[in-house]
Amino acid sequence: MDAEIAYLEKHGVSLFLDVGANIGQTGLALRKAGYQGRIASFEPIASCYETLAARAVEDPLWQAHHTGVGAEDRA
């Protein structure tokens, strides 16, 4: 993950979009590796979102959204 963080920093990435975030594994890994920018995580499955939201609430720069992201508007 160190190479990925270096890449994000090199390119000035200040917002990481985590689409299909599941329970927040990527957000946790980013923080553990030292990423200090904002994270926006999107997860449509309620049971996964609950865990994701509980993890994100502890981090003021990490927002969890209970929605899917895609090309079509459907349920």
Side-chain angles (χ1 to χ4, degrees):
M1 182 65 79
D2 292 335
E4 290 86 351
I5 299 302
Y7 180 87
L8 295 176
E9 291 175 350
K10 176 182 178 184
H11 294 284
V13 173
S14 60
L15 171 60
F16 187 94
L17 300 177
D18 185 13
V19 177
N22 196 263
I23 60 171
Q25 302 95 312
T26 299
L28 290 174
L30 286 168
R31 288 297 188 238
K32 184 176 180 180
Y35 178 69
Q36 296 180 12
R38 293 180 11 216
I39 301 170
S41 295
F42 301 88
E43 177 54 51
I45 299 172
S47 59
C48 294
Y49 173 76
E50 289 176 16
T51 301
L52 168 66
R55 290 176 169 176
V57 76
E58 300 295 323
D59 184 335
L61 295 178
W62 185 1
Q63 296 177 330
H65 303 274
H66 188 202
T67 188
V69 175
E72 298 178 24
D73 184 10
R74 62 183 185 171

